[in-house]
Amino acid sequence: MQKFYAHSLPGLPLKQWEQMHEHEDLVAEFCSKFLNRISTALLPWGDLLGRWHDLGKYSNEFQTYLHKANELLEELDDAHRAEIAGKVDHSTAAAQLAIDTFGLKGRLMAYPFAGHHAGLPDWDDGSSQKGLRQRLEKQIFNFKTNAPEHLKNTQFPGMPTFSSVIPDEHAAERAAFRVAFWIRMIFSGLVDADFLATESFMSPDIKSQRR
C-alpha cells in the first residue's frame, strides 16, 4: 500500500517522515479542542476541518514535490513555510470536495480550507485567479483517487445554531455578519491547529517549550 506523507525534514530517512494520517489526526485533535471552547456542538466541525484541510497532499504532484523538497527546506528559516514556497497547491482540493459533497453549505468550510496558508480569499478575485470561485475551477489531479475512503465519506457536521435577534431593518446585515464571523472563527481554529501540529513534527525543540 502506498504511503502518503504530509511533511519531511532534510536528511531524515523516509520511514521517519510524517504520514498524512498522523498529521490529520493531530490537526483534528487541536482544532476540535479550540472550537470546543466556543461550543461542544462544534467538535465535529473541528474534526472535519482537521482531517480534510490537507487533502491536496494526496495528489501525485505534491508527493513528488515533497520528495524533492529537502534542499528547499534547508534554505528557509521557517520550515512551516517551505511547502508554500514549493508552488504546489495543496489547499484547493479540500475546498472543492466541500462544495462537491455539501453544496452551498460547503462554502462554510471551503473558505478556511482554501485560505489556511495564504489567508481567507475573496469569492471572486478577477484576473489574479486567487478568489475562491477561481480556485474551485482549478484541476487538482489524483487526490480523490489517492485519499482514503473514510475521509471522502465524511458526513456534514450539521449547521451551527446562530443566536436569534428580533427582525428589523438590519436583520439581513446581522445575519451576514454572523456567518462571516463564524467562518473567521473556524478559520482561526484550523490555522492555529495546523501550525502547531506541523511545528510538533518539524520543530520539536520549539514545541517542547510550549505549555
mmCIF file of all heavy atoms in Angstrom, residues 124-146:
data_model
loop_
_atom_site.group_PDB
_atom_site.id
_atom_site.type_symbol
_atom_site.label_atom_id
_atom_site.label_comp_id
_atom_site.label_asym_id
_atom_site.label_seq_id
_atom_site.Cartn_x
_atom_site.Cartn_y
_atom_site.Cartn_z
ATOM 1 N N ASP A 124 -14.550 36.268 -5.582
ATOM 2 C CA ASP A 124 -14.097 36.453 -6.957
ATOM 3 C C ASP A 124 -12.986 37.494 -6.957
ATOM 4 O O ASP A 124 -13.220 38.653 -6.632
ATOM 5 C CB ASP A 124 -15.269 36.907 -7.838
ATOM 6 C CG ASP A 124 -14.931 36.878 -9.327
ATOM 7 O OD1 ASP A 124 -13.749 37.081 -9.667
ATOM 8 O OD2 ASP A 124 -15.845 36.662 -10.147
ATOM 9 N N ASP A 125 -11.788 37.069 -7.330
ATOM 10 C CA ASP A 125 -10.635 37.970 -7.299
ATOM 11 C C ASP A 125 -10.150 38.314 -8.693
ATOM 12 O O ASP A 125 -8.992 38.656 -8.900
ATOM 13 C CB ASP A 125 -9.507 37.330 -6.495
ATOM 14 C CG ASP A 125 -8.579 38.384 -5.893
ATOM 15 O OD1 ASP A 125 -8.943 39.571 -5.901
ATOM 16 O OD2 ASP A 125 -7.491 38.012 -5.434
ATOM 17 N N GLY A 126 -11.036 38.180 -9.673
ATOM 18 C CA GLY A 126 -10.732 38.618 -11.023
ATOM 19 C C GLY A 126 -9.587 37.877 -11.668
ATOM 20 O O GLY A 126 -9.450 36.664 -11.551
ATOM 21 N N SER A 127 -8.717 38.610 -12.328
ATOM 22 C CA SER A 127 -7.656 38.007 -13.138
ATOM 23 C C SER A 127 -6.545 37.380 -12.318
ATOM 24 O O SER A 127 -5.714 36.648 -12.857
ATOM 25 C CB SER A 127 -7.055 39.067 -14.068
ATOM 26 O OG SER A 127 -6.513 40.140 -13.313
ATOM 27 N N SER A 128 -6.504 37.646 -11.010
ATOM 28 C CA SER A 128 -5.421 37.092 -10.198
ATOM 29 C C SER A 128 -5.584 35.594 -9.983
ATOM 30 O O SER A 128 -4.641 34.914 -9.604
ATOM 31 C CB SER A 128 -5.378 37.789 -8.834
ATOM 32 O OG SER A 128 -6.439 37.343 -8.014
ATOM 33 N N GLN A 129 -6.781 35.082 -10.181
ATOM 34 C CA GLN A 129 -7.066 33.659 -10.017
ATOM 35 C C GLN A 129 -6.916 33.189 -8.565
ATOM 36 O O GLN A 129 -6.779 31.994 -8.314
ATOM 37 C CB GLN A 129 -6.162 32.815 -10.927
ATOM 38 C CG GLN A 129 -6.322 33.101 -12.406
ATOM 39 C CD GLN A 129 -7.737 32.816 -12.902
ATOM 40 O OE1 GLN A 129 -8.241 31.705 -12.772
ATOM 41 N NE2 GLN A 129 -8.383 33.830 -13.458
ATOM 42 N N LYS A 130 -6.972 34.128 -7.609
ATOM 43 C CA LYS A 130 -6.813 33.756 -6.208
ATOM 44 C C LYS A 130 -8.136 33.682 -5.462
ATOM 45 O O LYS A 130 -8.172 33.265 -4.309
ATOM 46 C CB LYS A 130 -5.886 34.763 -5.509
ATOM 47 C CG LYS A 130 -4.449 34.726 -6.023
ATOM 48 C CD LYS A 130 -3.586 35.728 -5.279
ATOM 49 C CE LYS A 130 -2.141 35.690 -5.791
ATOM 50 N NZ LYS A 130 -1.284 36.681 -5.090
ATOM 51 N N GLY A 131 -9.239 34.119 -6.096
ATOM 52 C CA GLY A 131 -10.539 34.060 -5.449
ATOM 53 C C GLY A 131 -11.030 32.628 -5.310
ATOM 54 O O GLY A 131 -10.590 31.726 -6.027
ATOM 55 N N LEU A 132 -11.968 32.414 -4.379
ATOM 56 C CA LEU A 132 -12.479 31.063 -4.179
ATOM 57 C C LEU A 132 -13.160 30.550 -5.440
ATOM 58 O O LEU A 132 -13.019 29.371 -5.792
ATOM 59 C CB LEU A 132 -13.460 31.033 -2.999
ATOM 60 C CG LEU A 132 -14.029 29.647 -2.660
ATOM 61 C CD1 LEU A 132 -12.927 28.670 -2.287
ATOM 62 C CD2 LEU A 132 -15.049 29.756 -1.524
ATOM 63 N N ARG A 133 -13.883 31.404 -6.142
ATOM 64 C CA ARG A 133 -14.547 30.958 -7.371
ATOM 65 C C ARG A 133 -13.528 30.433 -8.370
ATOM 66 O O ARG A 133 -13.733 29.379 -8.992
ATOM 67 C CB ARG A 133 -15.348 32.105 -8.002
ATOM 68 C CG ARG A 133 -16.151 31.674 -9.219
ATOM 69 C CD ARG A 133 -16.919 32.824 -9.827
ATOM 70 N NE ARG A 133 -16.037 33.766 -10.482
ATOM 71 C CZ ARG A 133 -15.531 33.577 -11.715
ATOM 72 N NH1 ARG A 133 -15.810 32.483 -12.398
ATOM 73 N NH2 ARG A 133 -14.750 34.492 -12.253
ATOM 74 N N GLN A 134 -12.429 31.153 -8.538
ATOM 75 C CA GLN A 134 -11.389 30.712 -9.472
ATOM 76 C C GLN A 134 -10.708 29.435 -8.975
ATOM 77 O O GLN A 134 -10.395 28.539 -9.763
ATOM 78 C CB GLN A 134 -10.340 31.806 -9.661
ATOM 79 C CG GLN A 134 -10.808 33.003 -10.475
ATOM 80 C CD GLN A 134 -11.578 34.022 -9.657
ATOM 81 O OE1 GLN A 134 -11.683 33.914 -8.443
ATOM 82 N NE2 GLN A 134 -12.132 35.029 -10.331
ATOM 83 N N ARG A 135 -10.511 29.339 -7.672
ATOM 84 C CA ARG A 135 -9.846 28.155 -7.113
ATOM 85 C C ARG A 135 -10.700 26.902 -7.317
ATOM 86 O O ARG A 135 -10.170 25.807 -7.552
ATOM 87 C CB ARG A 135 -9.590 28.371 -5.619
ATOM 88 C CG ARG A 135 -8.680 29.539 -5.287
ATOM 89 C CD ARG A 135 -7.217 29.184 -5.320
ATOM 90 N NE ARG A 135 -6.840 28.245 -4.295
ATOM 91 C CZ ARG A 135 -6.530 28.589 -3.037
ATOM 92 N NH1 ARG A 135 -6.553 29.868 -2.668
ATOM 93 N NH2 ARG A 135 -6.162 27.674 -2.174
ATOM 94 N N LEU A 136 -12.005 27.064 -7.232
ATOM 95 C CA LEU A 136 -12.890 25.915 -7.395
ATOM 96 C C LEU A 136 -12.873 25.375 -8.815
ATOM 97 O O LEU A 136 -13.288 24.234 -9.054
ATOM 98 C CB LEU A 136 -14.327 26.288 -6.994
ATOM 99 C CG LEU A 136 -14.536 26.610 -5.508
ATOM 100 C CD1 LEU A 136 -15.961 27.088 -5.266
ATOM 101 C CD2 LEU A 136 -14.224 25.405 -4.634
ATOM 102 N N GLU A 137 -12.395 26.173 -9.754
ATOM 103 C CA GLU A 137 -12.348 25.742 -11.152
ATOM 104 C C GLU A 137 -11.015 25.092 -11.521
ATOM 105 O O GLU A 137 -10.870 24.566 -12.625
ATOM 106 C CB GLU A 137 -12.603 26.951 -12.060
ATOM 107 C CG GLU A 137 -14.004 27.542 -11.910
ATOM 108 C CD GLU A 137 -14.180 28.833 -12.687
ATOM 109 O OE1 GLU A 137 -13.164 29.341 -13.238
ATOM 110 O OE2 GLU A 137 -15.309 29.351 -12.740
ATOM 111 N N LYS A 138 -10.052 25.111 -10.615
ATOM 112 C CA LYS A 138 -8.748 24.510 -10.899
ATOM 113 C C LYS A 138 -8.857 22.981 -10.943
ATOM 114 O O LYS A 138 -9.743 22.390 -10.326
ATOM 115 C CB LYS A 138 -7.727 24.900 -9.824
ATOM 116 C CG LYS A 138 -7.344 26.351 -9.830
ATOM 117 C CD LYS A 138 -6.318 26.650 -8.756
ATOM 118 C CE LYS A 138 -4.998 25.963 -9.035
ATOM 119 N NZ LYS A 138 -3.958 26.361 -8.043
ATOM 120 N N GLN A 139 -7.935 22.371 -11.633
ATOM 121 C CA GLN A 139 -7.872 20.920 -11.680
ATOM 122 C C GLN A 139 -6.766 20.436 -10.741
ATOM 123 O O GLN A 139 -5.593 20.778 -10.915
ATOM 124 C CB GLN A 139 -7.597 20.430 -13.101
ATOM 125 C CG GLN A 139 -8.792 20.545 -14.028
ATOM 126 C CD GLN A 139 -8.539 19.852 -15.356
ATOM 127 O OE1 GLN A 139 -7.520 20.085 -16.002
ATOM 128 N NE2 GLN A 139 -9.450 18.992 -15.753
ATOM 129 N N ILE A 140 -7.170 19.669 -9.742
ATOM 130 C CA ILE A 140 -6.222 19.061 -8.816
ATOM 131 C C ILE A 140 -6.315 17.553 -9.046
ATOM 132 O O ILE A 140 -7.326 16.922 -8.721
ATOM 133 C CB ILE A 140 -6.543 19.396 -7.350
ATOM 134 C CG1 ILE A 140 -6.730 20.915 -7.164
ATOM 135 C CG2 ILE A 140 -5.457 18.860 -6.434
ATOM 136 C CD1 ILE A 140 -5.490 21.725 -7.421
ATOM 137 N N PHE A 141 -5.298 16.976 -9.607
ATOM 138 C CA PHE A 141 -5.366 15.583 -10.042
ATOM 139 C C PHE A 141 -5.039 14.602 -8.910
ATOM 140 O O PHE A 141 -4.254 14.910 -8.024
ATOM 141 C CB PHE A 141 -4.400 15.351 -11.209
ATOM 142 C CG PHE A 141 -4.733 16.152 -12.438
ATOM 143 C CD1 PHE A 141 -4.022 17.295 -12.758
ATOM 144 C CD2 PHE A 141 -5.785 15.769 -13.267
ATOM 145 C CE1 PHE A 141 -4.330 18.034 -13.888
ATOM 146 C CE2 PHE A 141 -6.100 16.508 -14.394
ATOM 147 C CZ PHE A 141 -5.377 17.648 -14.710
ATOM 148 N N ASN A 142 -5.654 13.457 -8.974
ATOM 149 C CA ASN A 142 -5.315 12.279 -8.178
ATOM 150 C C ASN A 142 -5.772 12.284 -6.723
ATOM 151 O O ASN A 142 -5.857 11.216 -6.123
ATOM 152 C CB ASN A 142 -3.796 12.003 -8.184
ATOM 153 C CG ASN A 142 -3.197 11.955 -9.563
ATOM 154 O OD1 ASN A 142 -2.394 12.812 -9.905
ATOM 155 N ND2 ASN A 142 -3.586 10.980 -10.360
ATOM 156 N N PHE A 143 -6.014 13.453 -6.138
ATOM 157 C CA PHE A 143 -6.226 13.446 -4.700
ATOM 158 C C PHE A 143 -7.451 12.630 -4.305
ATOM 159 O O PHE A 143 -7.434 11.938 -3.281
ATOM 160 C CB PHE A 143 -6.305 14.879 -4.153
ATOM 161 C CG PHE A 143 -7.659 15.531 -4.240
ATOM 162 C CD1 PHE A 143 -8.552 15.444 -3.186
ATOM 163 C CD2 PHE A 143 -8.039 16.243 -5.374
ATOM 164 C CE1 PHE A 143 -9.792 16.053 -3.249
ATOM 165 C CE2 PHE A 143 -9.275 16.852 -5.446
ATOM 166 C CZ PHE A 143 -10.165 16.751 -4.388
ATOM 167 N N LYS A 144 -8.519 12.682 -5.102
ATOM 168 C CA LYS A 144 -9.709 11.905 -4.766
ATOM 169 C C LYS A 144 -9.442 10.411 -4.871
ATOM 170 O O LYS A 144 -9.933 9.615 -4.071
ATOM 171 C CB LYS A 144 -10.875 12.302 -5.668
ATOM 172 C CG LYS A 144 -11.473 13.667 -5.353
ATOM 173 C CD LYS A 144 -12.685 13.918 -6.227
ATOM 174 C CE LYS A 144 -13.306 15.270 -5.932
ATOM 175 N NZ LYS A 144 -14.492 15.550 -6.780
ATOM 176 N N THR A 145 -8.673 10.034 -5.867
ATOM 177 C CA THR A 145 -8.352 8.617 -6.052
ATOM 178 C C THR A 145 -7.440 8.116 -4.941
ATOM 179 O O THR A 145 -7.614 6.997 -4.435
ATOM 180 C CB THR A 145 -7.651 8.404 -7.411
ATOM 181 O OG1 THR A 145 -8.509 8.876 -8.453
ATOM 182 C CG2 THR A 145 -7.352 6.935 -7.639
ATOM 183 N N ASN A 146 -6.494 8.934 -4.539
ATOM 184 C CA ASN A 146 -5.494 8.510 -3.565
ATOM 185 C C ASN A 146 -5.958 8.610 -2.116
ATOM 186 O O ASN A 146 -5.458 7.877 -1.257
ATOM 187 C CB ASN A 146 -4.220 9.343 -3.729
ATOM 188 C CG ASN A 146 -3.542 9.110 -5.062
ATOM 189 O OD1 ASN A 146 -3.737 8.089 -5.702
ATOM 190 N ND2 ASN A 146 -2.720 10.067 -5.487
#
